[in-house]
Amino acid sequence: MEGIEHKMVNVYDINMHIAEMVTPDLRGYGDTTGAPINDPTKFTTLHVVGDMVTLIDSLGADKVFVVEHDWGALIAWCLCLFKPDKVKALVNLSIHFTPRNLKQKILENVCAAYGDDHYICRLQVAFLLHFTWF
């Protein structure tokens, strides 16, 4: 696509690939490097949102427009909740905001609402089968 500039930006302890005007590759995805993919404790919401805040600062922006879809929408909601001063506006596609309920686990809610055959439920089972050290 025309007008898109690809570059690497150092964000904390990772090198994050971004396609400016489109989207960054999150830690553990695409061309972003440095995150220990065998350590799930390095992939918390605070890590991923922290990456976004540091990326925004690294690009010299005070505030950004955020457009997200699916998994990115959940990150965008958290960015808005944790650092509202960094966001001009938010557009989320496909995922509505759901307040956190400490009495319920997100995965259990998804499986209860959409069934065990829902892709999120199936991926969790595949993930747990693959990583037997859990």
Side-chain angles (χ1 to χ4, degrees), residues 5-20 23-27 31-34 50-60:
E5 182 181 343
H6 293 268
K7 61 173 111 172
M8 300 298 282
V9 178
N10 186 280
V11 176
Y12 292 118
D13 58 345
I14 64 174
N15 294 312
M16 183 174 282
H17 168 259
I18 65 168
E20 245 180 329
T23 187
D25 292 336
L26 298 175
R27 62 173 50 220
D31 291 332
T32 294
T33 62
D51 292 344
M52 294 301 102
V53 172
T54 303
L55 177 61
I56 293 166
D57 292 341
S58 296
L59 295 172

Side-chain angles (χ1 to χ4, degrees), residues 45-109:
T45 301
L46 293 176
H47 282 93
V48 178
V49 172
D51 292 344
M52 294 301 102
V53 172
T54 303
L55 177 61
I56 293 166
D57 292 341
S58 296
L59 295 172
D62 292 325
K63 291 186 172 199
V64 295
F65 290 96
V66 179
V67 179
E68 295 290 349
H69 175 261
D70 201 40
W71 160 239
L74 299 173
I75 296 167
W77 287 120
C78 290
L79 174 63
C80 291
L81 288 169
F82 300 164
K83 295 296 284 182
D85 57 309
K86 294 291 182 185
V87 180
K88 288 182 185 179
L90 170 65
V91 176
N92 268 341
L93 306 172
S94 78
I95 303 291
H96 61 86
F97 176 70
T98 304
R100 186 172 179 200
N101 182 341
L102 296 177
K103 295 178 183 177
Q104 297 176 326
K105 294 183 179 181
I106 294 173
L107 183 58
E108 290 174 3
N109 290 344

Side-chain angles (χ1 to χ4, degrees), residues 113-126:
Y114 302 109
D116 290 336
D117 198 40
H118 189 269
Y119 77 97
I120 291 175
C121 302
R122 287 195 328 261
L123 287 174
Q124 293 300 313
V125 171

